[in-house]
């Protein structure tokens, strides 16, 4: 056998353009200089569907942490692979995700940027302190100012994109285009829970279940109108996403954390109160965990809201990422008709000694059961575990 490093470039290109998994693509480039030279964005087939990885921020005192070269952990559901990558740009930041990009927010200084975790390309965004009405809308911790972020297009593929965010204590919608010196505030008096880019428009859902559509691409001022409402008996934390060309809303029930006179303590694994406990309830602190999900399909033509009990071959991924769905049959290890969720309730990350990250799992829509999707430690004081689409571009 000849020297593999001397393979002709045309042969290397034929091979690398057939690689689907990013871990194989990245490993291909570590063999030698000639192999690395072909592992460029243009040679990666980014059009293929991809299952998200779980990105886990490591605490400074984690036993598995290297103090000199701290690494971020990634876990693949479909092949059980663990990957560590050195991404110093995210330390001390809270991270959200859209289209494979991280939206990073400084925990204490509040700086905001778009960061691609595998190429480490970075786009600086306007600072939160220059946002309209910032002092009336700022959060107690600057890192929690941006609560959701969704791209209309991948910045690697075009400069004509919009980044829509939910910002501040009152959860306003604000967006940014490349070249804008400031965030543009959408003047709607609502608390928003989630937003999705779908069919050339942004669809958002408020914390009380009102679904609205926002057109930010017209020549005139941003047009916003109410599409429909969820039934009044629905309650919980809302997500909105696209799946197979349709719009869906998901309600997550059981997410709550309560503060009592004892103050914030270590978050328990399960509900800690018993029926025969006679102590004063106000002396306790406990956390409720996610108990169930309800799914609704939104008919954009009729504005009807229909409960759905079967996602078919689809699996939903919810959390601090832009909510998304994948076709489970394309990825061994991912279960159809299941909802994979991460802990993105912010209060534990601020107040609890070990941070947040415990309320995670995979929900079976058929029988209502919840099982873990990751058995490792996910505690963090800075950044929630987040689903991220693995792609170098």
């Amino acid at each position: 056998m000849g020297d593999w490093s001397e393979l002709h470039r045309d042969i290397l290109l034929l091979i690398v353009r057939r690689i689907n998994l990013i871990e194989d693509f990245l490993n291909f480039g570590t063999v030698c200089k000639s192999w690395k030279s072909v592992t460029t964005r243009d040679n990666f087939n980014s059009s293929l569907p991809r299952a998200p990885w779980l990105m886990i921020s490591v605490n400074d005192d984690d036993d598995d942490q290297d103090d000199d070269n701290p690494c971020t952990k990634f876990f693949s559901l479909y092949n059980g692979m663990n990957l560590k990558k050195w991404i110093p740009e995210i330390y001390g930041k809270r991270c959200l995700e859209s289209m494979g990009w991280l939206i990073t927010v400084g925990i204490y200084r509040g700086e905001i940027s778009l960061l691609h975790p595998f190429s480490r390309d970075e786009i600086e965004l306007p600072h939160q302190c220059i946002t309209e009405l910032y002092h009336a809308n700022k959060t107690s911790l600057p890192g929690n100012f941006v609560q959701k972020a969704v791209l209309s297009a991948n910045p690697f593929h075009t400069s004509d994109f919009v980044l829509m965010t939910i910002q501040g204590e009152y959860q306003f919608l604000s967006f940014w285009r490349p070249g804008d010196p400031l965030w543009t505030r959408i003047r709607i008096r609502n608390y928003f829970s989630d937003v999705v880019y779908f069919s050339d428009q942004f669809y958002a859902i408020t914390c009380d279940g009102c679904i609205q559509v926002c057109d930010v691409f017209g020549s005139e001022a941003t047009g916003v109108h109410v599409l429909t409402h969820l039934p009044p008996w629905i309650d919980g934390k809302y997500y909105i996403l696209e799946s197979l060309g349709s719009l869906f809303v998901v309600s997550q029930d059981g997410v709550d954390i309560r503060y009592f006179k004892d103050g914030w303590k270590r978050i328990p694994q399960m509900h800690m109160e018993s029926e025969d406990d006679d102590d004063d309830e106000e002396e306790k602190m406990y956390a409720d965990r996610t108990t169930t999900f309800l799914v609704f399909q939104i008919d954009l033509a009729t504005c009807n809201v229909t409960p759905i009990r079967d996602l078919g071959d689809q699996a939903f991924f919810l959390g601090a990422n832009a909510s998304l769905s994948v076709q489970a049959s394309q990825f061994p290890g991912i279960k159809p008709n299941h909802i994979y969720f991460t802990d993105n309730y912010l209060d534990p990350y601020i107040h609890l000694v070990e941070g947040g990250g415990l309320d995670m799992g995979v929900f079976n829509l058929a029988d209502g059961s919840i099982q873990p999707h990751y058995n490792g430690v996910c505690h963090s004081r800075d950044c929630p575990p987040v689903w991220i689409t693995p792609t170098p571009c």
Side-chain angles (χ1 to χ4, degrees):
M1 182 67 68
D3 189 344
W4 286 96
S5 65
E6 295 180 359
L7 280 176
H8 195 278
R9 183 178 176 84
D10 290 344
I11 297 176
L12 292 175
L13 287 172
L14 287 173
I15 297 171
V16 78
R17 287 171 179 170
R18 285 166 171 76
I19 295 177
N20 180 27
L21 300 180
I22 184 176
E23 54 267 38
D24 294 338
F25 187 82
L26 295 175
N27 288 335
F28 190 92
T30 64
V31 174
C32 60
K33 289 183 178 180
S34 62
W35 288 37
K36 183 175 178 58
S37 69
V38 298
T39 55
T40 63
R41 297 173 194 164
D42 294 339
N43 293 329
F44 185 76
N45 191 347
S46 59
S47 63
L48 295 175
R50 308 194 186 282
W53 284 357
L54 183 65
M55 188 185 90
I56 305 156
S57 177
V58 182
N59 278 336
D60 293 337
D61 56 358
D62 194 291
D63 292 338
D64 195 32
Q65 183 71 286
D66 184 337
D67 293 336
D68 296 327
N69 295 288
C71 290
T72 299
K73 296 180 182 178
F74 295 88
F75 174 70
S76 168
L77 290 170
Y78 56 88
N79 61 15
M81 187 203 74
N82 287 281
L83 172 72
K84 292 183 180 180
K85 183 171 176 59
W86 186 60
I87 315 175
E89 294 88 350
I90 71 172
Y91 303 131
K93 309 285 182 67
R94 180 168 180 264
C95 298
L96 304 98
E97 189 272 356
S98 181
M99 293 190 178
W101 286 76
L102 296 175
I103 297 85
T104 68
V105 187
I107 297 296
Y108 301 107
R109 295 196 299 270
E111 67 278 18
I112 308 173
S113 67
L114 276 167
L115 172 71
H116 195 277
F118 298 105
S119 71
R120 291 174 60 189
D121 285 62
E122 191 166 15
I123 301 171
E124 185 176 350
L125 304 178
H127 196 280
Q128 59 181 265
C129 69
I130 59 174
T131 304
E132 181 182 1
L133 299 177
Y134 172 72
H135 290 288
N137 191 39
K138 65 180 180 179
T139 50
S140 59
L141 198 65
N144 293 338
F145 184 74
V146 180
Q147 300 179 32
K148 206 69 183 251
V150 175
L151 287 163
S152 66
N154 190 329
F156 275 144
H157 301 162
T158 178
S159 60
D160 184 19
F161 66 88
V162 172
L163 176 66
M164 181 70 76
T165 63
I166 298 174
Q167 293 185 348
E169 180 72 21
Y170 299 103
Q171 297 172 242
F172 294 127
L173 290 176
S174 297
F175 66 90
W176 176 84
R177 291 187 178 95
D180 289 353
L182 303 172
W183 296 93
T184 300
R185 162 91 173 277
I186 296 179
R187 294 178 174 274
I188 309 173
R189 292 181 177 270
N190 276 315
Y191 290 80
F192 283 91
S193 180
D194 198 9
V195 62
V196 65
Y197 184 70
F198 171 60
S199 190
D200 299 327
Q201 291 178 316
F202 286 97
Y203 292 83
I205 184 165
T206 65
C207 294
D208 60 357
C210 178
I211 301 168
Q212 304 185 12
V213 57
C214 310
D215 181 8
V216 300
F217 296 98
S219 57
E220 300 180 358
T222 302
V224 180
H225 66 270
V226 174
L227 186 66
T228 188
H229 288 80
L230 290 184
W233 51 269
I234 302 301
D235 191 18
K237 181 176 178 63
Y238 296 120
Y239 300 87
I240 189 167
L241 70 158
E242 178 271 336
S243 180
L244 295 179
S246 295
L247 196 64
F248 290 84
V249 166
V250 180
S251 171
Q252 180 184 14
D253 194 21
V255 182
D256 186 27
I257 189 163
R258 303 174 184 177
Y259 172 61
F260 300 119
K261 284 187 288 186
D262 282 347
W264 295 93
K265 300 178 181 177
R266 182 185 184 278
I267 188 168
Q269 289 285 347
M270 299 296 291
H271 195 297
M272 297 301 292
E273 184 181 25
S274 62
E275 293 182 359
D276 57 357
D277 192 340
D278 295 330
D279 291 340
D280 182 1
E281 183 184 32
E282 287 191 347
E283 296 295 329
K284 297 181 178 299
M285 175 271 173
Y286 61 87
D288 291 333
R289 307 291 294 278
T290 295
T291 56
T292 191
F293 288 88
L294 299 176
V295 181
F296 303 88
Q297 187 169 6
I298 312 301
D299 188 322
L300 295 180
T302 64
C303 296
N304 289 334
V305 179
T306 305
I308 298 294
R309 298 187 181 275
D310 189 353
L311 302 179
D313 190 34
Q314 298 302 296
F316 288 177
F317 289 81
L318 310 177
N321 56 291
S323 306
L324 58 92
S325 74
V326 301
Q327 191 172 346
S329 60
Q330 296 183 348
F331 304 100
I334 293 181
K335 303 174 182 179
N337 198 34
H338 280 66
I339 296 173
Y340 291 79
F341 63 98
T342 60
D343 188 350
N344 67 334
Y345 188 69
L346 298 181
D347 280 351
Y349 296 90
I350 305 173
H351 298 288
L352 302 183
V353 174
E354 293 184 0
L358 284 177
D359 187 20
M360 303 201 311
V362 52
F363 177 80
N364 186 333
L365 203 58
D367 62 17
S369 63
I370 297 178
Q371 301 294 329
H373 53 61
Y374 178 74
N375 293 319
V377 175
C378 289
H379 296 176
S380 174
R381 290 182 296 274
D382 293 340
C383 181
V386 61
W387 299 113
I388 182 165
T389 304
T391 173
C393 56

